[in-house]
Amino acid sequence: MVTGQDAKAQAGNGRTRGRPRSFDRATALEKALMAFWEHGYEATSVSDLTRIMGIGAPSLYAAFGDKRSLFEEVVRVYADTHGAFGDRALAEESTARDAVARTLREAAAEYTDPAHPFGCLVVHAATNCTSAEVERLLRERRNANIAAMASRIRADVAAGVLPAGTDAAALARHTGAMIQGMSQQARDGASREELEALAEIAMTIWPQD
């Protein structure tokens, strides 16, 4: 015979079993980051994400919103972690030249690190992407990086660290092109040493202080 107290206990146990499992949000987000980094936005499906993150679709939507919202958060996390070396160099080095030289050296190391997918997420994630919003998000990120370099170069020109005739915009775009090209070459199998040699050549076009 089931008493009223037993029935309540059974009902309570049923409710406990029915609750979604909790998960580590930061860990799940890092797993999503790796998936988007490796396969790009378009080729990474929601079912791929739920499998890789170890959560169900309802939990994914509840925690992160839709796929695009999750990707936007992934890009912010990437910019603050794996992709932060360029911002650090600009903030910490005393000249634009030193900052760019350090950025290129660290890009060679980061883009070929076997601990994660090769190359840069911001460069590659929109490959074959049909989402105009995602393409715009990544394009704005890349252009913002170039603009930050150009601003730093102009400051050095104004301070007399670089010659007055230095074309800051062109020099910043050259740096951006090198970084994006190094990312693609890393995806194609270039080694750290090969990219470091490329970085050294890239710096030879800079005007002398």
Side-chain angles (χ1 to χ4, degrees), residues 181-203:
M182 290 169 69
S183 176
Q184 181 60 56
Q185 291 200 17
R187 298 279 286 198
D188 290 343
S191 69
R192 174 177 177 173
E193 292 73 21
E194 288 171 330
L195 295 185
E196 286 175 340
L198 183 62
E200 288 187 16
I201 293 171
M203 294 306 300

Side-chain angles (χ1 to χ4, degrees), residues 23-126:
F23 66 97
D24 184 325
R25 193 177 192 281
T27 299
L29 190 58
E30 179 69 10
K31 290 178 179 178
L33 187 156
M34 293 295 169
F36 283 126
W37 194 351
E38 176 68 27
H39 304 292
Y41 178 82
E42 195 73 23
T44 305
S45 67
V46 171
S47 61
D48 291 332
L49 291 166
T50 56
R51 174 177 52 80
I52 292 165
M53 297 165 77
I55 59 176
S59 295
L60 185 150
Y61 291 125
F64 302 104
D66 59 14
K67 175 182 169 181
R68 197 182 83 199
S69 297
L70 170 60
F71 181 72
E72 289 173 353
E73 186 167 352
V74 158
V75 171
R76 290 194 294 272
V77 170
Y78 177 85
D80 291 338
T81 54
H82 303 284
F85 58 89
D87 288 342
R88 284 196 302 267
L90 285 174
E92 295 172 4
E93 295 299 327
S94 60
T95 68
R97 183 190 183 95
D98 288 345
V100 168
R102 173 177 162 182
T103 296
L104 294 177
R105 287 195 308 271
E106 294 190 8
E110 178 68 25
Y111 292 167
T112 57
D113 187 342
H116 53 62
F118 293 148
C120 172
L121 180 147
V122 175
V123 173
H124 295 288

Side-chain angles (χ1 to χ4, degrees), residues 113-192:
D113 187 342
H116 53 62
F118 293 148
C120 172
L121 180 147
V122 175
V123 173
H124 295 288
T127 301
N128 298 322
C129 182
T130 59
S131 169
E133 293 84 359
V134 168
E135 288 185 337
R136 182 172 62 252
L137 169 70
L138 298 179
R139 182 172 60 251
E140 288 174 350
R141 284 273 178 179
R142 293 190 296 268
N143 286 338
N145 291 338
I146 292 172
M149 291 177 201
S151 177
R152 183 62 188 278
I153 294 166
R154 289 190 190 97
D156 277 8
V157 173
V161 176
L162 288 170
T166 300
D167 188 335
L171 202 52
R173 287 224 169 260
H174 173 265
T175 303
M178 293 305 304
I179 291 172
Q180 293 172 30
M182 290 169 69
S183 176
Q184 181 60 56
Q185 291 200 17
R187 298 279 286 198
D188 290 343
S191 69
R192 174 177 177 173

